[in-house]
């Protein structure tokens, strides 16, 4: 098969796979595996290459280990404790409750992952709002925004960060130092905006002191031993991520160790915990890695990189902001995981062609764009879909149009904050 035929065949397979994922008529994992399989069947990727070069087992191991660990933390009742603490701390004020639950969600999304944070916090939020006799929609909208923004702060929070960290020289501390500041600033800005948007929804709502006194913060904890041990293992795992590069360990090793330690010390049945390992997500990633590998082998990624550099006349400053804007807007309408999988080798090729091997600001532009952009529409990121579905099940419907009316402008605002941060830190001060 000639190189030109391979070039256009790779593009065709890639576009057909993306169309299938975006249509949602065929499950996204089936689409990704079919696309990856097509790359192998048509000779664009060999099976050996798929296994040894393109499938990123560090990413898969990191995700698997964290899924096991978080399945144990979920059983501890930790999030229920945080939610009830927020209610008591707010003294029944809906505005204060929104702020506290939003912060809890952002921190939870960073420390565990945004999807798990959404699954755990949404039911508790609806329950707390029923106690306050108010609609949970404003708080849920804020929590959705915080899931995607908060998860950006650390390497383990959002899938795009996991993929970027595994594919580059960047470690846990790099994400913490470079992304946590912009996340803190963005959380504050977006919270202020949310309070202004929903200011009329909070009037006349407050719990009485007698009702607040009846709330037992620890009522969600069934086994205090599992609660304390699982949190200790989680804390030690996060510490492991902080120091892993100093010991020459990969992030997957730390995550798998944390997962196994949680099973060992918390006395959880491994079969129960392993049921929480999302094989669907892992297989989706595997298919995407092979799909993008076919694009690399066919020379498509390099051709796009060369064209992009030519369009901006080799200006790394302009390319960085194009990455931010493109990532943000695209991730509002398509899944940010396949988008990130495609962008990683593209940015690597751009850095190589421009001789900028350590232009890390491009990775921070991709991370903030892909993660913040997920807030733009209801289908932009998994936490959005999960929280909206939970709300609908409980009788609180949020339409696609209403979601976009509230969240798309806030997404653009968050991208503006990220752009100002990138400009100030990396181009004005060159930090």
């Amino acid at each position: 098969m000639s190189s030109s035929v391979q070039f256009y065949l790779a593009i065709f397979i890639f576009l057909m796979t993306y169309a299938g994922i975006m249509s949602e008529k065929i499950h996204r994992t089936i689409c990704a595996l079919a696309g990856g399989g097509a790359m192998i069947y048509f000779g664009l990727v060999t099976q050996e290459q798929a296994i040894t070069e393109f499938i990123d087992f560090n990413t898969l191991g990191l995700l698997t280990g964290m899924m096991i660990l978080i399945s144990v933390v979920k059983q501890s009742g930790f999030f229920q404790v945080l939610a009830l603490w927020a209610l008591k701390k707010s003294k029944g004020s809906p505005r204060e409750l929104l702020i506290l639950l939003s912060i809890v969600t952002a921190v939870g999304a960073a420390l565990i992952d945004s999807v798990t944070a959404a699954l755990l916090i949404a039911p508790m939020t609806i329950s707390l709002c029923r106690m306050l006799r108010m609609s949970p929609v404003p708080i849920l909208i804020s929590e959705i925004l915080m899931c995607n923004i908060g998860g950006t702060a650390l390497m383990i929070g959002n899938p795009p960060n996991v993929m970027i960290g595994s594919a580059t020289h960047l470690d846990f501390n790099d994400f913490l130092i470079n992304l946590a500041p912009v996340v803190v600033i963005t959380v504050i800005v977006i919270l202020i905006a949310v309070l202004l948007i929903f200011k009329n929804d909070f009037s006349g709502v407050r719990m009485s002191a007698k009702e607040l006194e009846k709330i037992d913060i620890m009522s969600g904890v069934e086994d205090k031993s599992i609660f304390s041990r699982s949190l200790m293992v989680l804390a030690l795992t996060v510490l492991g991520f902080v120091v892993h590069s100093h010991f020459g360990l990969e992030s997957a090793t730390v995550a798998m160790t944390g997962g196994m330690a949680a099973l060992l010390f918390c006395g959880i049945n491994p079969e129960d915990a392993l049921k929480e390992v999302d094989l669907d997500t892992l297989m989706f990633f595997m298919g995407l890695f092979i799909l993008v590998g076919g694009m690399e082998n066919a020379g498509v990624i390099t051709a796009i990189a060369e064209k992009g550099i030519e369009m901006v006349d080799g200006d790394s400053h302009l390319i960085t902001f194009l990455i931010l804007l493109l990532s943000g807007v695209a991730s509002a309408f398509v899944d940010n995981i396949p988008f990130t999988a495609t962008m990683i080798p593209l940015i690597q090729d751009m850095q190589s062609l421009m001789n900028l091997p350590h232009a890390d600001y491009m990775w921070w532009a991709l991370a903030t764009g892909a993660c913040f952009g997920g807030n733009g529409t209801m289908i932009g990121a998994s936490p959005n879909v999960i929280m909206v579905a939970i709300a609908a099940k409980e009788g609180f419907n949020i339409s696609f149009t209403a979601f976009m009316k509230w969240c798309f402008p806030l997404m653009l605002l968050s991208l503006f904050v990220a752009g100002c941060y990138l400009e100030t830190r990396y181009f004005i001060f060159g930090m």
Side-chain angles (χ1 to χ4, degrees):
M1 192 185 299
S2 68
S3 59
S4 61
V5 172
Q6 287 184 329
F7 185 89
Y8 290 108
L9 180 59
I11 293 174
F12 176 76
I13 294 170
F14 179 82
L15 291 177
M16 291 298 291
T17 304
Y18 244 86
I21 293 171
M22 290 175 64
S23 72
E24 298 185 333
K25 296 194 187 284
I26 305 173
H27 197 283
R28 68 175 191 168
T29 301
I30 295 174
C31 292
L33 289 174
M39 291 292 187
I40 294 174
Y41 274 108
F42 284 103
L44 297 165
V45 176
T46 66
Q47 183 173 308
E48 183 180 357
Q49 277 184 315
I51 295 171
T52 60
E53 293 182 34
F54 294 127
I55 296 177
D56 188 342
F57 287 99
N58 185 59
T59 294
L60 299 180
L62 173 57
L63 290 169
T64 303
M66 290 305 293
M67 286 173 185
I68 296 170
L69 173 56
I70 297 311
S71 72
V72 176
V73 176
K74 278 169 68 175
Q75 295 184 47
S76 74
F78 176 56
F79 258 78
Q80 289 90 327
V81 169
L82 283 179
L84 291 172
W85 168 84
L87 180 60
K88 292 205 82 165
K89 198 73 177 173
S90 70
K91 298 177 182 176
S93 164
R95 286 185 183 82
E96 291 182 28
L97 182 63
L98 182 146
I99 294 169
L100 289 171
L101 285 179
S102 296
I103 293 170
V104 165
T105 304
V107 173
L111 286 176
I112 47 176
D113 69 80
S114 55
V115 172
T116 303
L119 283 167
L120 294 175
I121 203 70
M124 284 300 299
T125 297
I126 294 170
S127 176
L128 294 178
C129 287
R130 283 197 170 120
M131 294 168 68
L132 279 167
R133 294 174 288 279
M134 65 171 284
S135 168
V137 170
I139 298 180
L140 287 173
I141 290 294
S142 182
E143 288 170 348
I144 288 169
L145 295 164
M146 293 304 124
C147 271
N148 295 310
I149 295 170
T152 314
L154 300 179
M155 191 180 75
I156 57 176
N158 275 334
N161 287 14
V162 174
M163 298 165 75
I164 293 168
S166 187
T168 65
H169 61 278
L170 302 167
D171 62 16
F172 184 90
N173 292 341
D174 291 316
F175 280 82
L176 174 64
I177 293 167
N178 289 278
L179 292 182
V182 69
V183 166
V184 171
I185 296 166
T186 308
V187 163
I188 293 169
V189 171
I190 296 301
L191 271 179
I192 292 170
V194 168
L195 289 171
L196 290 172
I197 290 171
F198 294 106
K199 62 182 179 181
N200 296 327
D201 292 67
F202 302 130
S203 56
V205 179
R206 185 176 283 274
M207 284 186 77
S208 67
K210 193 174 287 187
E211 288 174 310
L212 283 168
E213 282 179 20
K214 293 178 183 178
I215 296 171
D216 179 10
I217 292 176
M218 298 299 290
S219 61
V221 179
E222 294 182 8
D223 189 321
K224 290 186 178 179
S225 174
I226 292 177
F227 178 80
S228 57
R229 291 180 185 182
S230 65
L231 292 187
M232 186 181 298
V233 173
L234 178 61
L236 289 172
T237 303
V238 172
L239 178 62
F241 284 122
V242 172
V243 301
H244 74 94
S245 59
H246 298 291
F247 295 96
L249 298 173
E250 293 289 344
S251 54
T253 304
V254 176
M256 292 297 288
T257 302
M260 294 305 104
L263 292 178
L264 179 64
F265 293 112
C266 297
I268 300 294
N269 185 341
E271 291 185 7
D272 294 335
L274 291 173
K275 286 176 185 175
E276 297 291 322
V277 174
D278 190 352
L279 289 175
D280 169 41
T281 296
L282 298 178
M283 297 300 283
F284 178 58
F285 271 94
M286 288 177 67
L288 287 178
F289 288 141
I290 301 170
L291 180 72
V292 176
M295 293 275 283
E296 285 188 66
N297 277 355
V300 177
I301 299 292
T302 302
I304 295 172
E306 289 173 345
K307 190 67 178 174
I309 293 169
E310 182 186 322
M311 286 173 60
V312 298
D313 198 25
D315 187 341
S316 61
H317 193 169
L318 183 55
I319 283 178
T320 301
F321 286 95
L322 283 176
I323 291 170
L324 175 67
L325 184 61
L326 177 62
S327 302
V329 175
S331 295
F333 297 97
V334 301
D335 194 314
N336 59 13
I337 295 173
F339 178 83
T340 304
T342 309
M343 287 296 292
I344 286 172
L346 179 60
I347 293 173
Q348 287 173 329
D349 273 10
M350 283 183 171
Q351 291 179 336
S352 176
L353 290 166
M354 298 169 69
N355 196 26
L356 295 169
H358 299 294
D360 294 341
Y361 46 81
M362 292 186 184
W363 298 117
W364 309 136
L366 176 61
T368 50
C371 297
F372 289 6
N375 281 325
T377 68
M378 191 186 293
I379 60 171
S382 298
N384 312 15
V385 179
I386 289 167
M387 284 203 173
V388 169
I390 291 172
K393 192 176 178 181
E394 295 293 331
F396 301 98
N397 291 311
I398 303 171
S399 70
F400 187 94
T401 306
F403 187 100
M404 193 168 178
K405 180 185 74 175
W406 292 322
C407 296
F408 197 84
L410 294 176
M411 181 273 288
L412 293 177
L413 176 60
S414 68
L415 291 181
F416 176 76
V417 173
C420 292
Y421 174 81
L422 290 169
E423 176 67 25
T424 303
R425 179 163 182 173
Y426 304 107
F427 293 104
I428 295 178
F429 292 106
M431 296 170 64

